[in-house]
Amino acid sequence: ELARGELRTEIARLAERSYVIPGSDRTRIGPKTLEGWYYAFRKAGLEPKPRTDRGASKIPLTVQEAILVAKRDNPKRSIRQLRLLMGITGITVTLYQIHFN
């Protein structure tokens, strides 16, 4: 929810950004277009809902703990190195389960 007056400020901020628009050479979206999209989105009842799995991990706790110990031991370890290390220690983990930002 936006407080009174925040919508216009937010739309102006979004209109100042550059975007990669597939199939177009344009990189900007006008404030009126953004505002139209916003109201169409609201009218359709497509209000964003918080994720039900927010804060939950699909990686088992034992694997999380082993990864943290390995990273603390050597922070420069890559994801591939961690995966290899987990395999050596008998912890099965697939590459898609580990994501570091």
Side-chain angles (χ1 to χ4, degrees):
E1 289 294 317
L2 298 172
R4 183 172 172 82
E6 282 186 282
L7 179 60
R8 293 233 188 268
T9 304
E10 188 64 22
I11 287 174
R13 186 184 65 77
L14 291 170
E16 290 174 2
R17 292 177 52 187
S18 294
Y19 298 92
V20 175
I21 304 170
S24 176
D25 292 331
R26 297 181 59 198
T27 59
R28 302 281 180 156
I29 302 172
K32 293 222 182 254
T33 301
L34 290 167
E35 186 175 8
W37 289 349
Y38 172 78
Y39 285 113
F41 185 78
R42 296 235 0 225
K43 184 177 180 181
L46 301 173
E47 292 293 322
K49 295 178 178 77
R51 291 181 56 139
T52 57
D53 63 347
R54 186 175 183 175
S57 177
K58 293 181 182 179
I59 302 173
L61 189 57
T62 55
V63 175
Q64 290 179 40
E65 290 170 352
I67 291 170
L68 288 173
V69 167
K71 283 295 274 187
R72 285 186 188 121
D73 181 50
N74 182 357
K76 293 184 179 184
R77 282 190 170 125
S78 69
I79 291 174
R80 293 193 189 284
Q81 290 172 333
L82 289 169
R83 183 171 178 249
L84 181 64
L85 183 62
M86 296 302 113
I88 291 170
T89 58
I91 297 173
T92 304
V93 62
T94 58
L95 189 57
Y96 72 88
Q97 285 181 305
I98 305 175
H99 301 280
F100 292 105
N101 293 331

